[in-house]
Amino acid sequence: MKNSRSLILLWIQLLSFAGVLLILFTHLPVTEVDSIKAAETGTSTTVYLPLVFSPEPEPIMLGISPRSFWLPTLPDALTQEFASIDAWSGKRLSLACIYHSFDQEEVVSNMLSTIWDSGYTPFVNLATNQFSITEIVNGKMDTQIRAWAKAYAVFANGGKRMAYLLPLQEMNGNWVSYGSSNPEYFKKAYQRIVNIFAAEGVPSNSVEWIFAPNGKSYTGWPDFESYYPGHAIVDGVAFSSFNYGYHPTNPYKRWENPEDIYTDFIDRIHAVTLGKPIFLAEMGTTAYGPNGYDESLKNQWLIDAYELYTRLEGVRGILYYNDHNRFDWSFYRPDNQAVFPGYITGISNDLYKYVSPAVLRDMMVDY
C-alpha cells in the first residue's frame, strides 16, 4: 500500500502545529482600551489565540501532449517543446503525456526513464488497436500486458521511479477497438491489467492508476460513471474535452467557454469518486470564433480556463494538447513562433507549481 501521506507533508504539518503552539502561549493585549485599563488597575489583560490549522493547498501540476508525440526522437520533444515552454512561460511543466500501445514494450524503459531523468513525470495513455474488450477479459492480450509490465518494472527500479498509467482510455467510445457498451467488461479488463502488473513485480508505489473515460459516451451507451472500476484500484480520474469553436472542420459550430465544458464533468466525477484527484488528460481550444480566426478569443479562453481550474475542487493536473495537426490547439509552436500569451497569464496563479518526479513519488497518496 502507498503511504497515507509523505514524510514531507507530515513534517510541514508538525512544524505548522509547533508554530501555532508558540503563538498560543504568547500574551497579547486585546485592544488599546484594555491596555489602558490594565495600566490603571495594575492588572494584566491577555488573550489566547484559538488553535487554527490551515493546510497549504496542494499544487496544480502543468503538462502537455507534445506536437511530436515523442517520435521519432525523444530528445527533440524534450528540447523543442518542454524545455522551450518552460523557458517561455516562466513555469516548468511537471507532467509529460504519452500515447502508448501494449505492443510497444521494447521502448518503455528507455523512453520513460529519459523523461523522468529530464525532470518530468510520465503520464501514459496505454491502449491497444488490436483487441476487443471481450478478448482482453478472456486473456488474449495477456502476453502483451505482461511484456509491457516487465519493461515497466525495469523503469520503476524497485520503487525509485513512478508514472501515471491510464489503461484503455476512452473505453466509452466506439472509436477504439476495446470500446464497449457493457461497463462490466471494462471493469474486468481494468482489474486484469492491474493484477498482471502486480504479478510481474511492479511496486505499488510506482504506479498511479488513472480511470480515463471520454467526457461524453458514444450515442446510446452508458454514461462514463458506469465504467468506474472502483475506489480500491483507482488512484485518480482523468477526462478530455475541447472547445472546437467555429473551426472549419467542426460540423457543430459553437463557442464553448471553460465553465460550459468542465464544471459539469468535474461535479459528476466528484459524485462518483468521492475525492479522487482529477486530471484533465487532454484539453485545448481553437482560435476560430463566430467571426473567423481570432487570437484574442483563444488567449482569453486560456486565461479563463486556467483561472477556473484553481476554483474547481480536486484538480491536480492539467495537460494541454499542444498538437496542431488537425485542429489549431497549440498555444506554443516553436517551428513558426506562433504563441499565445494567454497561457502565461492563465498559469500565473501561485497554485500552479512545478513538482519534480522524486517529490511527486514521495507525495503519492493511497486514496
Side-chain angles (χ1 to χ4, degrees):
M1 297 290 288
K2 302 169 189 138
N3 294 329
S4 61
R5 181 64 67 179
S6 70
L7 291 175
I8 295 173
L9 293 179
L10 178 60
W11 273 109
I12 292 173
Q13 292 174 346
L14 290 174
L15 289 173
S16 300
F17 183 74
V20 172
L21 289 179
L22 180 63
I23 295 173
L24 183 63
F25 290 103
T26 301
H27 295 245
L28 297 173
V30 177
T31 65
E32 184 178 355
V33 173
D34 291 331
S35 299
I36 295 173
K37 289 182 179 179
E40 292 175 349
T41 61
T43 60
S44 175
T45 303
T46 61
V47 61
Y48 296 94
L49 298 179
L51 185 63
V52 178
F53 175 65
S54 299
E56 183 178 352
E58 292 192 58
I60 302 175
M61 296 177 288
L62 299 167
I64 62 167
S65 297
R67 183 183 184 190
S68 65
F69 285 98
W70 302 105
L71 298 175
T73 53
L74 179 68
D76 286 350
L78 291 171
T79 301
Q80 295 175 8
E81 290 191 64
F82 282 79
S84 296
I85 289 174
D86 291 346
W88 167 72
S89 68
K91 285 195 176 182
R92 190 171 185 183
L93 300 166
S94 299
L95 305 175
C97 187
I98 305 167
Y99 299 88
H100 240 269
S101 174
F102 277 104
D103 62 358
Q104 295 177 302
E105 75 283 349
E106 70 279 358
V107 298
V108 172
S109 179
N110 176 64
M111 173 180 260
L112 300 191
S113 297
T114 302
I115 293 170
W116 174 279
D117 293 341
S118 299
Y120 307 100
T121 301
F123 194 86
V124 187
N125 293 268
L126 188 53
T128 179
N129 58 5
Q130 299 174 327
F131 296 94
S132 69
I133 198 70
T134 303
E135 290 173 326
I136 297 172
V137 170
N138 291 335
K140 291 189 176 182
M141 199 172 74
D142 282 4
T143 300
Q144 288 189 1
I145 299 172
R146 291 189 187 282
W148 211 97
K150 288 178 180 178
Y152 186 85
V154 174
F155 156 75
N157 193 18
K160 294 181 181 179
R161 298 192 187 102
M162 58 81 65
Y164 294 92
L165 297 186
L166 291 64
L168 309 179
Q169 72 275 8
E170 299 190 356
M171 78 303 298
N172 54 332
N174 73 336
W175 48 87
V176 291
S177 66
Y178 49 85
S180 174
S181 61
N182 189 330
E184 296 306 313
Y185 285 174
F186 169 73
K187 294 176 185 178
K188 291 178 181 178
Y190 194 101
Q191 181 72 70
R192 191 177 192 90
I193 294 169
V194 172
N195 291 345
I196 290 175
F197 270 66
E200 293 300 329
V202 174
S204 62
N205 68 336
S206 286
V207 182
E208 286 280 273
W209 292 106
I210 306 299
F211 168 57
N214 192 54
K216 185 177 181 180
S217 293
Y218 179 66
T219 304
W221 288 16
D223 291 337
F224 70 78
E225 292 93 333
S226 300
Y227 294 82
Y228 182 58
H231 299 320
I233 60 173
V234 171
D235 297 305
V237 180
F239 73 97
S240 306
S241 200
F242 297 84
N243 171 37
Y244 292 85
Y246 290 78
H247 192 279
T249 63
N250 179 23
Y252 308 105
K253 291 178 172 54
R254 60 174 178 170
W255 187 264
E256 293 184 284
N257 293 315
E259 289 269 2
D260 302 327
I261 299 175
Y262 300 110
T263 51
D264 177 60
F265 285 138
I266 289 179
D267 287 344
R268 289 169 61 185
I269 289 171
H270 280 307
V272 174
T273 64
L274 305 178
K276 300 283 185 181
I278 298 171
F279 298 85
L280 277 77
E282 295 176 355
M283 58 86 70
T285 183
T286 179
Y288 284 91
N291 298 316
Y293 188 83
D294 187 342
E295 292 189 357
S296 65
L297 274 180
K298 182 164 181 171
N299 277 315
Q300 188 60 53
W301 193 98
L302 291 168
I303 294 170
D304 293 343
Y306 282 96
E307 191 279 328
L308 172 66
Y309 305 144
T310 65
R311 295 187 280 109
L312 295 177
E313 182 181 356
V315 175
R316 292 292 169 262
I318 303 165
L319 295 100
Y320 194 93
Y321 196 79
N322 199 50
D323 182 47
H324 197 79
N325 287 332
R326 183 181 175 190
F327 291 92
D328 60 319
W329 301 135
S330 302
F331 66 78
Y332 182 90
R333 283 178 281 154
D335 55 350
N336 60 8
Q337 299 302 309
V339 296
F340 289 84
Y343 172 82
I344 297 178
T345 303
I347 65 170
S348 62
N349 191 297
D350 289 340
L351 284 176
Y352 292 111
K353 296 179 181 178
Y354 170 69
V355 182
S356 72
V359 170
L360 185 57
R361 174 202 60 205
D362 293 339
M363 290 174 61
M364 284 172 59
V365 177
D366 187 17
Y367 287 86

